[in-house]
């Protein structure tokens, strides 16, 4: 707007009335109403001298630069100038005078705004065949639906999910990200489209539901508020299959698990799979989504935070988010299950209590690992108790307690170089192809609960850092091991505006399932 004010020759203090009129970009630019030309030219010339002097270069002569007007510049130069301005500022510029309004009909300006602001790399010239201009694409598609771009978590009970809404060519598409088939945690993510928005004609954008196996069909999107929107399918019969629910279940099972029900011999696992199908299919792609942000990173973070895929026993692979919070790190579920639903903090790592693993021979003994972890747990408990006692006595937080490393017989020395690692005998793992070296380990707690998130409690465990892209957690009470691998994908429009906004987002998604 500052640039617009200078182009107008009117600063904020002089009160440009037309700056206060806010309309959708391009739609206002298309208005043919003619302002008072004489008055507007006076305003333009009042501020044009300074702007022209910057373009023509500063003169060494003390004499003032010659007066000139933007109206005297050739149209092709004005197109270049206007194309460099944010699209949201162009409506105000269109109301300066008739000439500016006419120039802003040039599609070259809007083609550049589509490319620079939304990354549209398609050849937009082919739109001329359909009668749709780049100005229409910007105003009626990209700008109108800009608030739904980014990462979202659908409200599907305990299961959650990860939706990435992106500009894809001349479409806006909502891609549902799915973890790889269990237990291949290092495989790339899978994704499928849930909806798409495109401009078929000049009137308005078209929303289509992509759910099911019968092609795109009529849908609807409602932006509830800033960080929430909902989708609705208007033709749910397109989701049905000719073979009925049995065929739908078998198709879903192949997509979700990459196998048939006959291949799954574990009875409890069969029940969990059938339960998830019945629960999730009832929504028919009529869902509410809430925005999620990627965690901010800091130079002193243990590894780069972000999204990871993790193994969760009979529940299969789930998507989690690793974030750092001072002396602690958290692993939050983005997808979940009936025991620990999406949004809950599945693992918490105490970065102040590093665990020194025993040598490889002793590590094979589960009792030895259990002894080390329980010692660390007792040390943490005592420090917390002393902290509470000081607070009750009015002494404040006081100096930090010195962290004492557990004294382990036959332990390998603490160092940053990778050391040998093996799971203790008796600890189960969905994926036996875990790394055989690790960089460091920390005391942590894992959240466990009964079906329906009943009787949740935090139990001790070990966080194992393997490398920049993989970590693990040993659940001591469950005698189980979870392996996590980084989601190798780039997400746009997913950064939190501030650390406080990220913390608030974590609280919100956790409160939904608490």
């Amino acid at each position: 707007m500052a640039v617009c004010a200078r182009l107008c020759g009117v600063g904020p203090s002089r009160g440009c009335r037309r700056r206060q009129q806010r309309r959708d970009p391009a739609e206002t630019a298309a208005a043919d109403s003619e302002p008072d030309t004489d008055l507007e030219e006076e305003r333009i010339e009042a501020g044009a001298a300074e702007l022209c002097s910057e373009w023509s270069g500063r003169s060494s002569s003390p004499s003032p630069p010659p007066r000139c007007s933007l109206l005297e510049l050739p149209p092709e130069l004005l197109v270049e100038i206007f194309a460099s301005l944010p699209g949201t500022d162009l409506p105000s510029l269109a109301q300066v005078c008739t000439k500016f309004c006419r120039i802003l009909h040039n599609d070259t300006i809007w083609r550049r705004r589509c490319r620079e602001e939304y990354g549209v790399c398609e050849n937009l010239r082919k739109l001329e065949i359909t009668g749709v201009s780049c100005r229409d694409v910007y105003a009626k598609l990209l700008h109108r639906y800009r608030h739904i771009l980014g990462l979202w978590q659908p409200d599907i009970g305990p299961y959650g999910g990860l939706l990435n809404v992106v500009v894809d060519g001349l479409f806006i598409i909502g891609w549902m990200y799915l973890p790889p088939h269990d237990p291949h945690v290092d495989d790339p993510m899978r994704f499928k489209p849930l909806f798409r928005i495109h401009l078929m004609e000049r009137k308005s954008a078209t929303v289509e539901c992509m759910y099911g196996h019968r092609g795109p069909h009529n849908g609807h999107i409602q932006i509830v508020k800033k960080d929430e929107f909902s989708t609705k399918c208007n033709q749910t019969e397109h989701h049905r299959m000719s073979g009925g629910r049995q065929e739908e279940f078998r198709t879903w099972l192949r997509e979700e698990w990459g196998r048939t029900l006959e291949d799954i011999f574990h009875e409890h696992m069969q029940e969990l799979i059938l339960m998830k199908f019945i629960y999730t299919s009832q929504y028919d792609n009529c869902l509410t989504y809430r925005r999620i942000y990627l965690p901010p990173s800091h130079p002193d973070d243990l590894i780069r935070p972000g999204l990871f895929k993790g193994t969760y026993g009979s529940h299969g692979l789930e998507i989690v988010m690793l974030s750092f919070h001072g002396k602690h790190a958290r692993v939050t579920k983005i997808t979940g299950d009936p025991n620990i639903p999406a949004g809950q903090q599945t693992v918490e790592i105490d970065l102040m209590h590093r665990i020194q693993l025993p040598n490889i021979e002793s590590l094979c003994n589960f009792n030895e690992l259990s002894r080390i972890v329980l010692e660390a747990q007792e040390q943490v408990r005592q420090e917390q108790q002393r902290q509470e006692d000081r607070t009750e006595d009015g002494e404040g937080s006081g100096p930090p307690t010195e962290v004492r490393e557990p004294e382990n017989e036959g332990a390998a020395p603490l160092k940053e170089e990778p050391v040998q690692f093996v799971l203790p005998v008796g600890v189960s793992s969905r994926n036996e192809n875990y790394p055989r070296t690790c960089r460091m380990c920390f005391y942590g707690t894992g959240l466990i609960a009964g079906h329906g998130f009943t009787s949740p409690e935090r139990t001790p465990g070990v966080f194992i850092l393997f490398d920049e892209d993989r970590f693990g957690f040993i659940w001591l009470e469950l005698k189980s091991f979870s392996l996590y691998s980084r989601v190798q994908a780039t997400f746009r429009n997913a950064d939190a505006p501030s650390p406080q906004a990220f913390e608030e987002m974590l609280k919100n998604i956790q409160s939904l399932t608490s």
Side-chain angles (χ1 to χ4, degrees):
M1 294 305 298
V3 177
C4 178
R6 294 183 63 190
L7 290 172
C8 297
V10 182
S13 62
R14 296 179 61 180
C16 179
R17 295 189 304 273
R18 301 188 183 276
R19 291 180 58 203
Q20 300 174 5
Q21 300 180 10
R22 305 292 296 180
R23 304 184 192 174
D24 284 345
E27 293 180 359
T28 306
D32 292 327
S33 59
E34 297 186 6
D36 188 337
T37 305
D38 295 337
L39 177 60
E40 296 301 336
E41 288 188 4
E42 287 182 9
R43 290 178 176 175
I44 294 168
E45 292 176 356
E50 179 187 355
L51 190 57
C52 290
S53 67
E54 293 180 5
W55 288 338
S56 60
R58 295 184 178 275
S59 173
S60 59
S61 172
S63 59
R67 292 175 60 85
C68 64
S69 170
L70 286 177
L71 294 174
E72 298 175 3
L73 295 177
E76 57 270 19
L77 181 56
L78 290 176
V79 167
E80 286 299 315
I81 294 173
F82 295 169
S84 65
L85 300 176
T88 52
D89 287 347
L90 298 183
S92 299
L93 187 60
Q95 298 185 55
V96 171
C97 64
T98 305
K99 181 177 181 179
F100 286 4
C101 181
R102 184 171 60 252
I103 289 175
L104 284 168
H105 279 74
N106 192 314
D107 242 22
T108 301
I109 297 173
W110 300 102
R111 187 179 301 114
R112 180 171 169 183
R113 299 322 316 146
C114 289
R115 182 179 68 251
E116 294 187 359
E117 294 183 27
Y118 296 99
V120 178
C121 300
E122 299 290 317
N123 182 8
L124 296 177
R125 295 183 185 276
K126 63 185 180 183
L127 286 174
E128 299 174 0
I129 302 175
T130 63
V132 177
S133 67
C134 297
R135 183 159 50 101
D136 293 327
V137 172
Y138 185 95
K140 299 176 182 179
L141 177 67
L142 302 177
H143 183 75
R144 178 181 178 184
Y145 290 98
R146 69 193 184 279
H147 292 304
I148 70 170
L149 299 177
L151 292 178
W152 303 82
Q153 185 183 54
D155 184 6
I156 315 180
Y159 298 104
L162 179 65
L163 181 81
N164 186 26
V165 183
V166 300
V167 176
D168 190 343
L170 300 179
F171 294 84
I172 291 178
I173 303 181
W175 295 98
M176 180 67 83
Y177 275 64
L178 305 171
H181 292 139
D182 182 58
H184 308 292
V185 70
D186 286 325
D187 285 358
M189 295 283 286
R190 301 174 295 123
F191 42 88
K192 63 179 181 180
L194 291 190
F195 63 83
R196 71 180 185 184
I197 315 170
H198 59 126
L199 203 63
M200 294 295 293
E201 54 185 18
R202 297 189 65 179
K203 293 181 179 179
S204 60
T206 300
V207 178
E208 294 178 326
C209 175
M210 304 290 287
Y211 189 78
H213 301 272
R214 296 169 61 181
H217 46 282
N218 186 259
H220 176 72
I221 287 180
Q222 179 181 3
I223 300 177
V224 180
K225 51 186 178 181
K226 179 184 177 183
D227 293 324
E228 184 177 320
F229 77 96
S230 60
T231 59
K232 179 182 178 181
C233 176
N234 297 327
Q235 295 175 296
T236 55
E237 65 272 12
H238 283 69
H239 306 168
R240 308 284 81 85
M241 302 185 74
S242 58
R245 295 289 281 174
Q246 186 174 10
E247 182 183 1
E248 293 171 13
F249 173 64
R250 291 186 176 276
T251 302
W252 175 86
L253 187 59
R254 286 193 300 269
E255 294 177 351
E256 187 84 6
W257 291 83
R259 63 183 80 176
T260 64
L261 196 62
E262 290 76 16
D263 297 331
I264 304 173
F265 302 105
H266 198 291
E267 184 176 349
H268 179 58
M269 196 172 189
Q270 290 180 349
E271 294 175 354
L272 292 173
I273 291 173
L274 184 59
M275 184 187 309
K276 184 175 182 179
F277 169 75
I278 295 174
Y279 193 97
T280 57
S281 61
Q282 66 180 335
Y283 285 89
D284 267 337
N285 206 24
C286 299
L287 298 168
T288 298
Y289 297 88
R290 295 176 177 85
R291 184 179 294 279
I292 60 175
Y293 298 116
L294 292 178
S297 59
H298 308 89
D300 55 347
D301 288 342
L302 201 60
I303 60 173
R304 180 166 53 92
L307 297 174
F308 289 77
K309 306 151 285 182
T311 56
Y312 279 89
S314 300
H315 298 292
L317 299 187
E318 299 184 9
I319 304 173
V320 301
M321 177 186 291
L322 173 67
S323 57
F324 292 92
H325 309 263
K327 300 178 181 180
H328 294 84
R330 299 173 186 169
V331 179
T332 304
K333 281 195 171 187
I334 303 301
T335 63
D337 52 69
N339 290 74
I340 307 298
Q344 293 299 315
Q345 184 181 318
T346 176
V347 172
E348 180 172 351
I349 305 105
D350 190 337
L351 300 176
M352 299 300 294
H353 289 82
R354 189 166 171 176
I355 286 183
Q356 185 177 359
L357 294 178
N359 55 42
I360 198 68
E361 291 80 10
S362 300
L363 184 57
C364 292
N365 187 338
F366 178 79
N367 292 332
E368 177 63 15
L369 177 65
S370 179
R371 179 187 67 82
I372 296 172
V373 174
L374 293 179
E375 282 184 2
Q377 181 189 34
E378 178 61 21
Q379 182 182 356
V380 171
R381 189 196 66 78
Q382 292 178 3
E383 291 175 0
Q384 291 176 343
Q385 185 61 50
R386 286 195 292 268
Q387 179 70 28
E388 293 174 0
D389 293 343
R390 286 196 299 269
T391 302
E392 291 176 358
D393 294 339
E395 297 179 8
S397 57
T401 305
E402 181 181 358
V403 177
R404 178 180 61 86
E405 299 290 348
E407 299 177 359
N408 309 321
E409 295 182 1
L414 276 177
K415 53 184 178 180
E416 300 298 332
E417 294 79 9
V419 296
Q420 284 186 302
F421 175 81
V422 65
L423 286 177
V425 176
V427 174
S428 62
S429 173
R430 294 287 296 173
N431 193 330
E432 294 298 330
N433 189 28
Y434 61 86
R436 293 309 194 268
T437 60
C438 68
R439 283 166 48 183
M440 58 185 74
C441 300
F442 293 88
Y443 170 77
T445 58
L447 184 62
I448 64 174
H451 186 85
F453 198 40
T454 56
S455 305
E457 62 173 322
R458 307 208 70 87
T459 60
V462 183
F463 171 85
I464 306 108
L465 178 62
F466 294 114
D467 51 45
E468 176 65 26
D469 297 323
R470 289 178 296 180
F471 64 88
F473 189 79
I474 297 178
W475 309 75
L476 208 63
E477 184 169 327
L478 302 178
K479 288 190 175 182
S480 176
F481 171 73
S482 292
L483 176 64
Y484 301 85
S485 179
R486 185 182 299 276
V487 173
Q488 302 289 355
T490 301
F491 300 101
R492 297 187 62 180
N493 305 295
D495 294 330
S498 66
Q500 294 77 15
F502 177 76
E503 295 288 345
E504 188 66 24
M505 181 273 298
L506 285 182
K507 293 178 182 178
N508 290 339
I509 64 175
Q510 184 176 9
S511 64
L512 294 174
T513 55
S514 295

